[in-house]
Amino acid sequence: MRHHAATDAGCRPARKLSPCKESPGRMSELVHIIIGAGQAGGHAAIAMREAGFGGRILLIGDEPHRPYERPPLSKEMLIAAEPPPPLWFHSEQRYAERAIETRLGSPVAAIDTVAQRVLLRNGARLAYDRLLLATGGRARRLAIPGGERMLLLRTLEDARALRARLRPGLRVACIGAGVIGLEIAAAATQRGCAVEVIEAGPAPMGRSLTPDFAAWIAALHRAAGVRLHFNATVQGIEPDRVICAVGLVVEADLVVAGVGMQRNTALAEAAGLAVDGGIVVDEFGRSSVANIYAAGDVAAFWHQRYGRRLRLESWRHAQNHGIATGRAMAGVMEPYDEIPWFWSDQHGANLQMAGLLDGASTDVWRGATTGRSFAAFHLDAAGRVLAATGVNAMREIRAAQAMIRAGRPVDAAALADPAGNLQKLAKG
Ligand code: FAD
C-alpha cells in the first residue's frame, strides 16, 4: 500500500515525484538523501550517480567511517596476527569524483515526511526529494541479569574491542550458534582460546541449514576443540560464568553473543512507514510513503519469484539491493529478484548456501561429506533445484543459482555424478 505525503501549510510543499520522472543524464536540483552509510547505502549512492542522477547526493551515517565490509569483522579481523585495516567499499576519491557528499558521525533523529526533511541529532534539517533508508541493524543484546557483560559484534569498534581481549588460554563463551557466533568461536579457537558455544536450539545454524549440514558444522567445531551445548537457554551472566536453564554452568572469562540482529526501523516507524519485521518495500525498493525507499538488511522487500516479502541479512543482498534501489531512485526501474545467497568461513571451511529451502523435499549430493568439497542440491517434488548448500563448493553453488533461476526439472543422476557437466545441466 502506498500513500502520498500531504502538503503542510508553511512548509516546503512535498514534491510528488514517485515514480521517478527525472531523465537520467540531466543536471538537476533534486536532492537524494541516504540515511545509513553502510554497505547498501554506499552502493546505492554510487549506483544512482552512475545511473545518471544529476542532483545532489548526501550519504549520512552515524558511524564515524565511510562504508566498510562487515564480514571480515568476525574472520580476519579476529584471526590475523596483526589487526588488518578496514576494508572500504569505495575510496574517498570515488565518492568525491561522483560528487557524493558524506556526513559521517551524524545520526538522523527523525524524518518529516510531509515537509520532506530529515532532522539530524545535531539539530540540522535537510530537505530531500527522495530518501533512502539503509539503516541496517544492530546486534541484539539479551535482556538477562548480567546481560551488559556480553560483548556484541556489528561494528569495526566492536571487532577491535573483541580482538584486543582474545589471547591464548582465555575461556570464551559464545552465546548463539548462528553464523556470527560460530565464526567468533572458530576465530577465538584459532587464537588459542578455550571456547564453548551455548545455543538455545537443538542444532547449529538451525534456521538456515538442513540437519545434515548442521551436523557437519557441529562435527567441524568439535574436531577443532570447541565444546557445543544445545537446547541450553542462557539465564544470566556472572563475572566468571554463564548460567543456563538446564542446570548448565559454563565458566568463562569472556562472553560474546551472536543472538541475531535487530533491524533499525525506529525512524521509519516514527515516520509512519509500513514496517513488518523490516521496512516494507516493493520490488523497486519503494516504501509505503511516497519518495521514501529502503534497502539492505533493514528492508522487507517483495520478491516476485517467491511471491512474498523476504528479509535477508547477507553481504550480496545488501550490495545488490542497494544498487537496484539506487538505480530505481535515478529512474532505472528493474525489479530486484536476486537469488538469496550467503557464505560463512569457519575453521578453514567455506560454507555457501543459495536459494530458499521452503518446498524442498529431496537432497541430491555431489561429493561425500567426508571429502574436502561437497554439495547438496535441494529439489522439490517436480525435480527443480530450489536451493543448494556446499562446503568448499563454489562452482556447484554458482551452477545451482543458474538452476534455481531457470526453474526447470534437472536430471538428478547427472547432478550427483562428479563427472557430470554442471554448466550444461544449468543451461538445461
Ligand atoms: P549495515 O551494514 O548495518 O549499515 C547500516 C548503517 O546505517 C550502519 O552504519 C548504521 O550505524 C547506520 N545507521 C542506522 N541508523 C542510523 C541513523 N538513524 N542515522 C544514521 N545512520 C544510521 N554476510 C554474508 O553474506 N557473509 C558473511 O560472512 C557475513 N559476515 C558478517 C559478519 C559480521 C560480523 C556482520 C555484522 C555481518 C556479516 N554479514 C555477512 C552480513 C552483512 O555484512 C550485512 O548483511 C550487511 O552489512 C548489511 O548492510 P546494510 O547496509 O544493509 O546495513
Side-chain angles (χ1 to χ4, degrees):
M1 188 196 66
R2 296 176 51 69
H3 65 266
H4 286 264
T7 302
D8 187 6
C11 293
R12 178 171 155 275
R15 296 200 214 171
K16 296 194 172 174
L17 284 172
S18 295
C20 185
K21 292 191 185 99
E22 207 210 7
S23 53
R26 173 167 68 84
M27 279 310 286
S28 87
E29 308 267 297
L30 298 181
V31 179
H32 284 184
I33 291 184
I34 301 168
I35 307 178
Q39 183 171 6
H43 279 287
I46 302 274
M48 68 178 70
R49 181 65 83 215
E50 293 185 347
F53 174 65
R56 196 171 166 209
I57 302 175
L58 262 117
L59 178 60
I60 306 176
D62 57 3
E63 291 186 71
H65 316 285
R66 67 180 188 276
Y68 60 90
E69 304 238 9
R70 297 191 197 277
L73 305 184
S74 50
K75 306 174 183 69
E76 295 86 340
M77 183 64 81
L78 303 180
I79 299 167
E82 290 299 319
L87 221 51
W88 310 111
F89 285 109
H90 310 107
S91 63
E92 275 178 15
Q93 196 190 346
R94 186 129 185 243
Y95 293 112
E97 283 167 1
R98 306 276 184 298
I100 293 162
E101 299 165 50
T102 52
R103 292 208 182 184
L104 305 172
S106 295
V108 172
I111 304 165
D112 179 340
T113 59
V114 176
Q116 295 204 174
R117 284 190 194 143
V118 300
L119 171 68
L120 302 191
R121 197 181 290 163
N122 68 11
R125 285 169 203 278
L126 302 166
Y128 66 83
D129 294 288
R130 293 195 189 93
L131 177 68
L132 172 62
L133 296 175
T135 47
R138 59 195 182 282
R140 198 158 78 86
R141 183 179 292 281
L142 293 178
I144 51 170
E148 70 286 352
R149 291 196 173 96
M150 63 177 75
L151 296 192
L152 302 175
L153 180 54
R154 180 82 193 173
T155 66
L156 193 51
E157 286 69 27
D158 294 339
R160 286 175 173 158
L162 175 56
R163 183 196 159 83
R165 299 280 302 274
L166 299 179
R167 54 178 166 70
L170 190 79
R171 297 169 307 169
V172 177
C174 291
I175 305 177
V179 170
I180 307 273
L182 291 177
E183 287 191 350
I184 295 171
T189 307
Q190 266 179 269
R191 292 283 302 277
C193 305
V195 181
E196 300 195 40
V197 173
I198 307 163
E199 163 62 43
M205 296 176 68
R207 279 190 305 150
S208 14
L209 296 182
T210 60
D212 288 327
F213 277 92
W216 187 87
I217 286 284
L220 177 75
H221 279 268
R222 287 195 178 108
V226 178
R227 291 189 66 191
L228 302 173
H229 307 280
F230 296 113
N231 302 308
T233 307
V234 174
Q235 288 191 318
I237 302 172
E238 296 180 357
D240 54 1
R241 57 191 197 152
V242 180
I243 313 294
C244 304
V246 282
L248 173 76
V249 175
V250 174
E251 306 286 329
D253 307 305
L254 177 71
V255 181
V256 197
V259 288
M261 185 194 82
Q262 277 178 296
R263 290 182 167 77
N264 291 322
T265 55
L267 275 181
E269 281 169 66
L273 274 70
V275 171
D276 177 16
I279 302 171
V280 171
V281 295
D282 67 8
E283 63 273 42
F284 303 107
R286 296 180 293 200
S287 77
S288 60
V289 170
N291 302 321
I292 303 188
Y293 298 68
D297 278 10
V298 79
F301 66 100
W302 182 258
H303 200 299
Q304 269 174 335
R305 167 179 300 274
Y306 296 110
R308 63 184 169 96
R309 280 198 294 271
L310 300 184
R311 290 182 292 261
L312 302 177
E313 299 163 24
S314 73
W315 184 91
R316 191 172 73 180
H317 166 66
Q319 170 186 288
N320 292 349
H321 199 216
I323 291 173
T325 307
R327 287 169 63 76
M329 290 172 74
V332 184
M333 309 302 281
E334 297 150 339
Y336 175 75
D337 68 347
E338 188 83 36
I339 302 292
W341 174 84
F342 77 87
W343 93 95
S344 173
D345 294 327
Q346 298 171 32
H347 301 292
N350 172 261
L351 173 80
Q352 292 192 25
M353 185 170 185
L356 297 179
L357 284 171
D358 325 2
S361 50
T362 312
D363 289 344
V364 175
W365 289 85
R366 195 171 164 104
T369 55
T370 46
R372 213 197 84 78
S373 159
F374 56 90
F377 295 81
H378 312 297
L379 275 54
D380 67 5
R384 292 175 299 214
V385 177
L386 299 186
T389 316
V391 170
N392 302 321
M394 248 158 80
R395 218 162 40 93
E396 285 77 1
I397 301 300
R398 200 177 310 122
Q401 290 170 74
M403 294 176 204
I404 297 167
R405 209 169 267 292
R408 282 187 300 266
V410 291
D411 177 347
L415 200 53
D417 178 2
N421 187 326
L422 279 177
Q423 278 187 336
K424 241 169 132 180
L425 268 175
K427 284 186 186 143

